[in-house]
Amino acid sequence: VLPACLLLALLLLAPALSAPQERGLIFNLETGELCLQSAQCKSGCCHRANGLSLARCAPKAAESQECSPKSIYGVYYKCPCESGLTCDADKTIVGSITNSNFGVCRDPQD
């Protein structure tokens, strides 16, 4: 007999796993939906405005917009750049610990 939480988790994951292109309850979330990790969002960015706000899926940063370098944490105060752009930011360990590693999206071809 499966524990109730495991059964509930399987029931919630089943729709997301069976239809990878459709919106699920946990993955493939649209912009504006609540998230815990960027991997849940179609855009690839789970964003929170400050330490007390709820995180929501948001579009990636466009050229000349503020950004964060990609991180392992999964939730961003500034979204990473769109594909093809680079985030010109402080990429040191100190910047990521103090949460001051914001930059601006730039086209590396310019």
Side-chain angles (χ1 to χ4, degrees):
V1 175
L2 290 174
C5 359
L6 181 57
L7 184 59
L8 179 61
L10 289 172
L11 288 172
L12 290 174
L13 279 173
L17 295 175
S18 64
Q21 297 303 321
E22 295 178 19
R23 183 192 168 283
L25 295 174
I26 297 174
F27 295 102
N28 294 320
L29 300 177
E30 300 289 343
T31 297
E33 293 189 278
L34 293 174
C35 56
L36 296 172
Q37 287 287 322
S38 290
Q40 294 177 278
C41 304
K42 281 185 180 180
S43 67
C45 179
C46 185
H47 170 267
R48 79 171 13 147
N50 57 55
L52 300 176
S53 64
L54 295 173
R56 295 184 178 273
C57 294
K60 287 195 174 177
E63 191 169 5
S64 301
Q65 288 185 330
E66 283 189 301
C67 59
S68 291
K70 291 196 179 200
S71 79
I72 59 171
Y73 302 120
V75 177
Y76 296 96
Y77 288 101
K78 305 287 181 188
C79 286
C81 299
E82 294 174 340
S83 181
L85 301 176
T86 58
C87 187
D88 186 18
D90 173 16
K91 295 181 181 166
T92 64
I93 190 72
V94 174
S96 89
I97 291 171
T98 61
N99 199 28
S100 63
N101 60 342
F102 305 130
V104 176
C105 291
R106 303 265 184 237
D107 186 343
Q109 305 297 324
D110 290 345

